[in-house]
């Protein structure tokens, strides 16, 4: 920092000063999601941001954060703005605003699939509500082990979303949901020990939605039941996710954040055909969850059509560019998932999607068992 200050005294241009600031430790990654090479800045907070987080800072408002491009707006930068970045930077800022982030709080990442509501509520929690600073007053309610409120739940066999009263209780190890707050009899009980929960606005068409994945009963069926719900407020649905993660942390005595819940490695539509060459291609919704590749008729179906367990390459599993069966007409973006029992023939909808699925499945096949999740 001292060297930059000395060089600024010999009248470096604004662009040169900003370029050097970007090289300082901590500034090479976005202050909020760790995306590489951030080229936006909050001039009053003194931090560098990626374009996605910058958009949220704009939305939060100039009374919280005043953003400016590092590369496009250099003529409008004052020396005071530059000095602010010199004095603070991402490292010092995060030492203040992330002083006591709970293990259970899920942070956004640089991944393009990061749920938009998670990114927005993380930024609001950091800078608007200042939830994680040293002097924060009371522990937030989502760390109490209890949470209740109205969520709109999708029906199992229809498209209706109905208001239900949800209750999380870490001492019981469950989430129960009721027809209304005054109901005595629950409509369903979800055990948190075997639950995965993730934000799901990307494919539910509701901006503040969550997906609960739990083993179906009886457990011996081997199926996973998906339950979808949404809140009318983004902050509420993120706090539900954090409350569930904290409850699992307490109930299972876990100490690592990545064990509390996990996002799916990849989701999206693929075409699939059956083992017989005469079978046609059908559009299916695929979810890669650890070593399990499930496919559904629709993204919001409660149960999968089938599940493919993907093993290690040493066990005879592989993912191949193209369709290996010469009897079939080769689709445009075909791929073959080879397993010891049979080959699965799939077709992506675009080149980027083809590359993403190839990469995601290959990573599972090449990874040792205990590292997949």
């Amino acid at each position: 920092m001292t060297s930059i200050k000395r060089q600024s005294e010999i009248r470096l241009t604004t662009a040169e000063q900003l370029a050097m600031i970007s090289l300082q430790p901590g500034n090479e990654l976005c202050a909020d999601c760790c995306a590489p090479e951030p080229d936006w800045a909050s001039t009053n907070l003194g931090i560098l941001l990626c374009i996605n987080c910058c958009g949220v800072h704009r939305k939060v408002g100039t009374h919280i954060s005043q953003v400016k491009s590092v590369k496009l707006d250099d003529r409008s930068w004052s020396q005071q703005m530059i000095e602010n970045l010199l004095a603070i930077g991402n490292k010092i800022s995060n030492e203040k605003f992330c002083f006591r982030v709970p293990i259970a709080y899920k942070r956004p990442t640089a991944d393009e699939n990061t749920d938009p509501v998670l990114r927005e509520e993380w930024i609001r929690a950091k800078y608007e509500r200042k939830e994680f600073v040293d002097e924060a007053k009371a522990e937030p309610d989502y760390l109490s082990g209890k949470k209740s409120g109205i969520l709109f739940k999708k029906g199992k066999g229809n498209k209706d979303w109905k208001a239900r009263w949800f209750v999380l209780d870490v001492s019981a190890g469950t989430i129960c949901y009721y027809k209304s707050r005054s109901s005595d009899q629950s409509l369903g009980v979800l055990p948190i020990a075997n639950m995965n929960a993730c934000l799901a606005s990307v494919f539910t068409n509701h901006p503040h939605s969550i997906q609960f994945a739990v083993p179906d009963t009886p457990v011996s069926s081997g199926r996973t039941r998906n339950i979808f719900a949404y809140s009318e407020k983004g902050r509420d649905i993120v706090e539900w996710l954090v409350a569930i993660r904290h409850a699992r942390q307490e109930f299972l005595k876990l100490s690592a954040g990545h064990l509390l819940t996990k996002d799916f490695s990849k989701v999206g539509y693929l075409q699939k055909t059956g083992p017989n060459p005469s079978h046609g291609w059908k559009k299916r919704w695929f979810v890669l969850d650890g070593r399990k590749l499930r496919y559904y008729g629709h993204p919001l179906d409660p149960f999968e059509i089938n599940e493919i367990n993907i093993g290690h390459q040493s066990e005879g599993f592989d993912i191949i560019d193209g369709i290996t069966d010469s009897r079939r007409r080769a689709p445009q973006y075909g791929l073959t998932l080879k397993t010891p029992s049979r080959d699965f023939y799939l077709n992506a909808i675009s080149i980027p999607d083809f590359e993403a699925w190839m990469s995601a499945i290959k990573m599972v096949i090449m990874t040792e068992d205990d590292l997949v999740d």
Side-chain angles (χ1 to χ4, degrees):
M1 185 182 297
T2 302
S3 63
I4 292 182
K5 286 183 177 179
R6 287 174 181 168
Q7 289 166 336
S8 67
E9 290 170 0
I10 60 173
R11 306 280 182 187
L12 288 176
T13 66
T14 298
E16 289 172 331
Q17 292 183 74
L18 291 173
M20 297 188 73
I21 288 171
S22 297
L23 298 176
Q24 292 300 291
N27 290 350
E28 72 279 5
L29 301 176
C30 172
D32 292 331
C33 76
C34 293
E37 301 180 1
D39 52 10
W40 290 82
S42 172
T43 57
N44 62 309
L45 294 173
I47 56 176
L48 295 183
L49 305 164
C50 70
I51 189 169
N52 291 323
C53 291
C54 170
V56 178
H57 279 251
R58 286 189 187 277
K59 183 177 180 179
V60 170
T62 56
H63 63 296
I64 300 295
S65 182
Q66 298 154 23
V67 296
K68 193 176 289 290
S69 172
V70 171
K71 296 181 178 178
L72 303 178
D73 299 335
D74 62 288
R75 292 184 180 181
S76 63
W77 279 77
S78 68
Q79 191 58 36
Q80 179 58 48
M81 294 175 183
I82 293 175
E83 292 296 332
N84 206 37
L85 276 177
L86 284 170
I88 304 173
N90 292 1
K91 186 173 183 295
I92 291 177
S93 174
N94 279 334
E95 285 174 354
K96 172 185 177 180
F97 288 106
C98 298
F99 182 81
R100 59 169 203 169
V101 180
I103 292 175
Y105 203 101
K106 187 169 180 60
R107 310 186 192 202
T109 68
D111 191 312
E112 63 180 9
N113 295 320
T114 290
D115 198 293
V117 72
L118 180 66
R119 187 187 304 273
E120 178 174 339
E121 291 307 319
W122 165 247
I123 290 171
R124 288 187 182 277
K126 278 181 72 174
Y127 307 111
E128 188 177 54
R129 300 193 292 271
K130 297 183 174 65
E131 289 183 14
F132 315 124
V133 298
D134 187 19
E135 64 270 18
K137 296 179 181 179
E139 190 170 72
D141 290 341
Y142 54 72
L143 297 180
S144 67
K146 294 180 180 293
K147 183 170 175 60
S148 59
I150 291 176
L151 294 176
F152 293 83
K153 176 185 171 294
K154 181 184 177 296
K156 183 187 296 188
N158 55 57
K159 298 181 179 179
D160 294 338
W161 297 78
K162 295 183 178 180
R164 295 290 183 249
W165 183 257
F166 278 72
V167 177
L168 166 66
D169 185 352
V170 68
S171 62
T174 60
I175 294 177
C176 298
Y177 57 93
Y178 303 80
K179 186 174 183 180
S180 68
R181 185 172 187 174
S182 59
S183 300
D184 294 326
Q185 185 66 39
S186 69
L187 299 177
V189 179
L190 311 178
I192 62 174
N194 299 318
M195 174 188 293
N196 187 38
C198 61
L199 298 179
S201 64
V202 175
F203 50 89
T204 62
N205 293 323
H206 289 284
H208 313 137
S209 56
I210 193 168
Q211 175 180 351
F212 307 105
V214 294
D216 190 27
T217 52
V219 176
S220 59
S221 70
R223 297 199 305 174
T224 299
R225 181 186 175 192
N226 296 319
I227 296 171
F228 299 92
Y230 74 88
S231 171
E232 294 180 329
K233 296 180 180 179
R235 177 179 177 180
D236 184 49
I237 207 65
V238 170
E239 291 185 352
W240 267 106
L241 176 64
V242 178
I244 292 167
R245 287 167 58 85
H246 177 72
R248 280 178 48 81
Q249 177 187 353
E250 294 294 308
F251 190 76
L252 299 175
K253 308 302 180 186
L254 301 173
S255 59
H258 71 278
L259 298 175
L260 304 181
T261 60
K262 61 184 178 185
D263 292 332
F264 300 125
S265 304
K266 175 81 176 126
V267 298
Y269 281 109
L270 289 170
Q271 289 182 315
K272 177 189 174 296
T273 187
N276 192 309
S278 64
H279 291 164
W281 291 89
K282 294 183 179 180
K283 188 177 181 181
R284 298 294 188 226
W285 178 260
F286 278 76
V287 174
L288 181 58
D289 181 9
R291 288 201 177 277
K292 297 178 179 180
L293 181 63
R294 304 187 191 99
Y295 57 92
Y296 302 79
H298 185 274
L300 302 185
D301 284 350
F303 299 107
E304 70 270 24
I305 295 174
N306 196 10
E307 178 180 280
I308 306 167
N309 289 300
I310 303 176
H312 190 261
Q313 186 179 39
S314 62
E315 301 171 316
F317 291 83
D318 201 1
I319 183 72
I320 298 173
D321 179 348
I323 301 301
T324 57
D325 188 344
S326 60
R327 298 172 298 171
R328 300 172 185 269
R329 180 179 60 83
Q332 190 171 10
Y333 309 116
L335 53 151
T336 301
L337 173 59
K338 298 185 73 66
T339 76
S341 59
R342 61 166 283 196
D343 292 350
F344 292 87
Y345 304 110
L346 310 171
N347 184 43
I349 60 176
S350 66
I351 291 178
D353 210 42
F354 166 83
E355 293 174 344
W357 276 109
M358 283 286 293
S359 175
I361 295 173
K362 182 173 284 293
M363 182 174 291
V364 173
I365 290 173
M366 299 297 292
T367 304
E368 298 295 336
D369 281 346
D370 58 343
L371 298 178
V372 170
D373 292 334

